[in-house]
Amino acid sequence: MAKQKMLVAEAIVRFLEKKGVTQLYGIPGAAILPVFDAIREVSKITSYVVRHEQTAAFMADGYARATGQAGVCAVTSGPAGTNLLTGLYGAYMDSIPMIAMTGQVSTPMIGTMAFQEAPITDMARPVCKGVYLWNDAAKTEEWLVDMWNTATKGKKGPVLLDLPLNIQKQVIEIDIDAIAQEQPEQLPTPTEQEIDQVIALLQRAQKPALIVGGGVILSNATAELEEFVSLYELPVVTALMGIDAFPNDHPLFAGRMGTMCNTPLGNQTLLESDFILNVGGRFADRSVGTFEVFTANRTIVHVNLDKQELGKYFPIDLGIAADVKAFLYMMVDRAKASGKTVPSWEELEAKPTIAKLLADRKEMARKQDFDELPIKPQRALLELRKFLDRDAFVSHDCGISQIWSTQLFETFVPRTFLITGGAGTMGWGLGAAMAAKLAYPERQSVNIVGDGSLGMSLQDLATAAKHNIPVIVFLLNNSLLGLIRQQQNWYYAERAISTDLIYHNEEFGHDRGIDFVSTAKGMGVEAELVTHYDEIQGALERAAASGKPYLIEVLVDEKAVCSMSNNGSIAGVVETV
């Protein structure tokens, strides 16, 4: 197609649609209206209005995590842009491809402290992979290609397009078809010598262990991972961002790692190992804890696309800066070339060392089937897992509800356990759950959330109601900022301050503070209260059958705590039940 005349705003929208964008989340305002008008007039992109700008970013982020495609959001200038910053930061920390657009005052007014002007590019630069102050209409073609490649190629991340109002309205000539053509991506691959080194180290190891990080998800390498693990018979321990990269019922799944988001066998497997291969992880602080404990007496090999991550926290024995999908493929190819075939799960289970791993996994699993009241959160999560399909989405905020889930909730399908790993954002999960449901309407989508976090996203129950997004909000209500109260009790001699959310609610005659059921109903969301674990399955069935957004408020034991390290090392996790 030859060049056509169109507004800059139209060019941006047409380009995004050519790239496969079908949904946009945001709130229109005067400075971004040309973009929204173009969405309505020249595209088939569906625009979903939200009730807070941060939710627009959280939905774009959640969409990207669930689909692997770039999520898109748009808001106006000034405070709307600043409200996006937390969402950009969360996506940046976890390398999530996202395109955020903000309106901006017209170029002659920039720097004059005009109404709703904010230096958003300067503010966002530290938490974005790329920022673009779109102050030259003639560079639209160049910048469209560059911003898309920046967000979606290499180590992915969010980009911000700051769009002055007068530039959005300028007419340009552009060939959208030509610039939207996808170019093949060339990622670094391991050398044959590096593969030789890894295989030699594996052969020498007596107790090897594999760490699986979020890079396996980001590179869509879960199939290669499963083949690799089965061929080399390595016990798998998942880092936080890799929780859903490997099926938790696989014979070689050993567990999860970390000072908080762990399983007992996961940490033990690493502590007893003499060789660790980290594929696609970062060795982040909450995953490895005290470096001296983690690195003692073991060889460490690290494979990561980002060269800057290799040896970033402590010295390693071998670092390979490469696409993890390519690494796993080459390792699988070597094994098959030597005559090996991928064993079945039954064949793996029959091997003595793997049979022992399975026995240990069962014996060391944390208790969930509590039959006491108030409901234990562990039991609530057990009932939820029983109800959900294997490919259901569960999204998380931050707090003790997240910790319980990372320790207990089994995952089986990639891109289903949605969580902000680096940022740990309260109020994030509802937006992510809604976006996942919009992307995959046929699959279940649940936001596992505590009452503290839901207080930060509560207004967007109205978004679910308005657009009839049938997510389930599974609220574990202990009327506390539970994780912080636990730390006050453990580390500050029980000097609790500002962590209880209790107050007497005269209107509804209880002391739980917010009446979440009534609040949800007031926004048009079906809701019910659960006080006994026997009621959870029925509530979930009614929620699923409703075909509408639904809140289930589960009153859980305010004294329930989570297992976590008391000395900063993965060896120091105190089991609390």
Side-chain angles (χ1 to χ4, degrees):
M1 184 182 293
K3 288 190 174 185
Q4 292 180 310
K5 287 185 177 182
M6 64 187 75
L7 300 180
V8 168
E10 292 178 9
I12 293 170
V13 170
R14 288 180 188 273
F15 177 85
L16 291 173
E17 188 171 34
K18 281 287 183 182
K19 285 296 192 179
V21 174
T22 60
Q23 301 178 12
L24 176 140
Y25 318 105
I27 303 175
I32 196 68
L33 277 182
V35 167
F36 275 88
D37 188 58
I39 289 165
R40 182 186 188 277
E41 293 297 306
V42 304
S43 84
K44 294 181 180 179
I45 295 172
T46 302
S47 175
Y48 293 93
V49 64
V50 299
R51 296 305 176 103
H52 193 294
E53 291 90 355
Q54 70 173 15
T55 304
F58 297 164
M59 290 185 75
D61 187 359
Y63 177 90
R65 292 174 197 254
T67 66
Q69 306 302 312
V72 181
C73 57
V75 301
T76 193
S77 62
T82 61
N83 280 344
L84 278 186
L85 288 171
T86 296
L88 292 168
Y89 156 62
Y92 181 74
M93 289 289 281
D94 296 340
S95 303
I96 303 302
M98 188 167 90
I99 295 163
M101 293 179 280
T102 52
Q104 182 56 278
V105 300
S106 293
T107 51
M109 303 302 294
I110 292 175
T112 67
M113 297 185 70
F115 176 68
Q116 289 194 336
E117 180 199 356
I120 196 66
T121 52
D122 291 335
M123 298 167 95
R125 188 167 283 108
V127 293
C128 284
K129 191 180 173 193
V131 294
Y132 300 81
L133 175 57
W134 220 275
N135 55 9
D136 186 349
K139 291 188 176 180
T140 295
E141 183 175 309
E142 172 192 340
W143 285 343
L144 282 174
V145 174
D146 189 67
M147 71 85 182
W148 184 266
N149 289 340
T150 298
T152 63
K153 297 186 184 303
K155 183 178 180 179
K156 301 173 177 67
V159 298
L160 175 70
L161 320 183
D162 193 30
L163 307 171
L165 182 58
N166 62 324
I167 300 294
Q168 294 177 60
K169 295 177 179 180
Q170 283 192 27
V171 176
I172 58 172
E173 287 191 357
I174 190 169
D175 185 345
I176 296 297
D177 287 340
I179 66 170
Q181 289 182 7
E182 193 67 24
Q183 301 298 319
E185 183 176 14
Q186 297 294 325
L187 294 173
T189 59
T191 65
E192 294 295 337
Q193 183 183 17
E194 287 171 331
I195 297 297
D196 289 340
Q197 288 177 279
V198 175
I199 291 173
L201 290 169
L202 270 172
Q203 289 172 341
R204 287 203 294 268
Q206 298 298 308
K207 300 201 74 173
L210 176 68
I211 292 175
V212 173
V216 172
I217 296 287
L218 293 170
S219 62
N220 296 312
T222 54
E224 291 84 355
L225 172 69
E226 191 166 340
E227 272 200 307
F228 167 70
V229 167
S230 297
L231 285 164
Y232 288 88
E233 298 180 15
L234 296 174
V236 174
V237 181
T238 54
L240 179 60
M241 296 309 300
I243 277 181
D244 53 359
F246 193 75
N248 289 183
D249 53 352
H250 190 286
L252 282 158
F253 176 67
R256 299 167 182 171
M257 63 186 289
T259 56
M260 288 187 178
C261 306
N262 61 68
T263 62
L265 181 58
N267 279 349
Q268 179 178 296
T269 299
L270 297 179
L271 289 168
E272 292 181 351
S273 71
D274 64 352
F275 172 86
I276 288 176
L277 171 60
N278 182 338
V279 177
R282 290 197 306 118
F283 290 124
D285 54 330
R286 280 212 307 173
S287 288
V288 303
T290 306
F291 298 151
E292 292 77 14
V293 172
F294 183 82
T295 59
N297 303 315
R298 56 187 57 92
T299 301
I300 296 177
V301 174
H302 192 187
V303 183
N304 197 292
L305 180 62
D306 185 0
K307 186 167 77 171
Q308 301 301 315
E309 292 294 336
L310 304 178
K312 178 178 175 181
Y313 298 102
F314 45 74
I316 57 176
D317 297 279
L318 175 62
I320 301 175
D323 174 29
V324 298
K325 190 181 185 81
F327 170 80
L328 292 168
Y329 177 84
M330 292 175 70
M331 291 291 290
V332 166
D333 191 56
R334 283 292 193 89
K336 290 180 177 179
S338 71
K340 288 185 178 180
T341 58
V342 180
S344 67
W345 286 21
E346 291 76 16
E347 289 171 324
L348 289 170
E349 289 167 356
K351 301 194 174 193
T353 55
I354 299 175
K356 182 179 185 307
L357 186 154
L358 288 167
D360 289 345
R361 193 165 83 193
K362 183 176 181 180
E363 181 182 342
M364 297 177 69
R366 293 186 173 111
K367 180 177 173 64
Q368 285 192 259
D369 58 345
F370 294 95
D371 58 2
E372 57 200 77
L373 297 173
I375 302 169
K376 291 288 187 183
Q378 297 92 332
R379 178 64 184 268
L381 290 172
L382 176 65
E383 297 298 327
L384 177 63
R385 179 66 275 181
K386 284 180 186 176
F387 177 80
L388 293 178
D389 299 333
R390 285 175 70 92
D391 67 351
F393 294 102
V394 288
S395 69
H396 301 78
D397 293 70
C398 194
I400 202 166
S401 63
Q402 178 214 66
I403 306 303
W404 284 320
S405 183
T406 58
Q407 293 183 355
L408 300 167
F409 196 90
E410 291 184 310
T411 63
F412 308 105
V413 176
R415 298 189 178 278
T416 54
F417 196 89
L418 307 178
I419 190 168
T420 57
T425 308
M426 296 177 73
W428 184 86
L430 176 57
M434 291 191 293
K437 186 66 176 177
L438 289 171
Y440 298 96
E442 73 284 2
R443 292 164 65 178
Q444 299 160 322
S445 187
V446 179
N447 176 208
I448 298 171
V449 64
D451 48 301
S453 287
L454 186 56
M456 300 187 188
S457 59
L458 193 57
Q459 74 285 337
D460 276 287
L461 290 176
T463 298
K466 173 177 171 54
H467 301 294
N468 193 28
I469 309 171
V471 294
I472 298 173
V473 178
F474 195 71
L475 169 61
L476 302 177
N477 187 357
N478 59 3
S479 297
L480 288 170
L481 299 176
L483 185 60
I484 306 307
R485 172 61 67 86
Q486 181 174 338
Q487 292 179 57
Q488 287 174 337
N489 288 342
W490 282 27
Y491 309 133
Y492 295 89
E494 301 185 1
R495 297 192 298 273
I497 178 172
S498 297
T499 44
D500 78 75
L501 303 176
I502 297 169
Y503 59 88
H504 180 66
N505 189 321
E506 259 184 61
E507 181 70 22
F508 296 99
H510 60 67
D511 294 319
R512 299 194 304 273
I514 297 174
D515 192 289
F516 287 101
V517 168
S518 297
T519 302
K521 288 182 175 180
M523 294 188 192
V525 172
E526 287 296 314
E528 62 178 281
L529 182 69
V530 168
T531 59
H532 196 288
Y533 50 83
D534 285 342
E535 302 167 352
I536 294 174
Q537 290 293 318
L540 288 165
E541 288 168 6
R542 287 185 288 277
S546 73
K548 297 178 179 179
Y550 205 102
L551 182 141
I552 300 171
E553 181 179 4
V554 184
L555 298 188
V556 297
D557 185 1
E558 67 177 31
K559 296 179 181 177
V561 294
C562 63
S563 302
M564 64 183 188
S565 176
N566 67 354
N567 65 5
S569 82
I570 61 171
V573 175
V574 176
E575 294 299 323
T576 55
V577 291

